[in-house]
Amino acid sequence: MYSTTDAIVLSLQPHTDRAHILHAYTRASGRINYKVFGLGKHHAAGLYSPLSIIQITANHTSAQMPTIKEAVSLSANGRQSSIDATIYKQTIRLFICEVLYHVLRHPMQDEPMFDFIAEAAQMLDQTEEPQNFHLQFLSGLAAKLGFAIPEDHSLSSLTREIYPQTRSERREQLRALCAYFAEHVETWEDPKSLDILMEVFD
């Protein structure tokens, strides 16, 4: 039996010559992996770009990995951005999705978490100055996961929305945030895009 749910794309990976595996965070069931057949023929690859919000129709009741029957985009068109801003946003999306891939591991419904991520994705689309967006997101995510940054912590300025202004400051804050997550999340791995992200912003 097919059912429909909103979902946030975390990653899309090749599986066989005919199929890809979509890792997604869904409103209905939390983290779910799907099979996607016919990519490029029946499903547009751009639909599954990192942090995209989509609506999935699939056989969720199957004992096997569900196969997507249909997927449509729910992402709103953001403001026009410069080429640099677009590169920044693409890098941030990839980084955020790598973080979520390692942090949100279980098929457990959590609508407030879904709404938090979906709202962040929409905000990133709309912002014209994304330089500190990943820091803001990680600070908010920590609070959602139950280990909010305490007032006496070196990162507490982020909870007061006081963000760094230089590349070196952003690097320092990002390293500190990753270390903070590593202390609280057993499955934490530094994202592969971390070094790229630290190089992107002047």
Side-chain angles (χ1 to χ4, degrees), residues 15-201:
H15 181 57
T16 67
D17 290 342
R18 298 177 54 245
H20 286 70
I21 301 298
L22 172 68
H23 302 277
Y25 192 74
T26 70
R27 179 182 292 280
S29 304
R31 171 75 176 271
I32 300 290
N33 299 332
Y34 295 92
K35 282 187 179 180
V36 183
F37 289 94
L39 192 66
K41 185 178 294 184
H42 303 296
H43 300 275
L47 186 67
Y48 302 107
S49 59
L51 214 60
S52 293
I53 305 172
I54 61 178
Q55 188 177 75
I56 290 173
T57 300
N59 56 337
H60 291 98
T61 56
S62 172
Q64 300 177 342
M65 185 183 300
T67 298
I68 292 179
K69 178 182 179 183
E70 182 181 16
V72 296
S73 176
L74 297 179
S75 295
N77 292 326
R79 302 173 186 173
Q80 291 293 326
S81 301
S82 67
I83 293 176
D84 285 343
T86 300
I87 293 172
Y88 296 161
K89 290 180 182 181
Q90 289 174 347
T91 306
I92 289 172
R93 289 188 189 99
L94 181 60
F95 173 79
I96 287 175
C97 285
E98 284 192 81
V99 168
L100 295 175
Y101 180 89
H102 292 297
V103 170
L104 303 177
R105 308 285 291 188
H106 303 295
M108 181 187 307
Q109 184 183 42
D110 187 344
E111 290 198 31
M113 178 63 77
F114 180 92
D115 290 338
F116 167 75
I117 300 168
E119 182 179 354
Q122 293 165 353
M123 289 174 61
L124 179 57
D125 282 343
Q126 295 169 3
T127 186
E128 296 178 354
E129 297 182 353
Q131 289 87 338
N132 288 308
F133 189 90
H134 51 298
L135 304 178
Q136 178 185 5
F137 178 83
L138 289 180
S139 175
L141 180 62
K144 282 290 182 183
L145 291 170
F147 50 90
I149 299 169
E151 293 184 2
D152 59 350
H153 197 279
S154 61
L155 291 165
S156 61
S157 61
L158 296 178
T159 65
R160 302 192 301 274
E161 299 186 1
I162 302 172
Y163 301 112
Q165 300 300 313
T166 67
R167 172 184 284 187
S168 60
E169 289 174 347
R170 291 187 186 98
R171 285 180 175 179
E172 182 179 350
Q173 293 279 47
L174 185 53
R175 288 194 187 97
L177 275 166
C178 288
Y180 185 74
F181 268 76
E183 291 175 3
H184 293 85
V185 180
E186 185 177 350
T187 57
W188 175 262
E189 294 181 22
D190 281 348
K192 295 178 181 178
S193 58
L194 178 61
D195 291 338
I196 299 173
L197 188 60
M198 289 196 291
E199 292 295 331
V200 162
F201 297 106

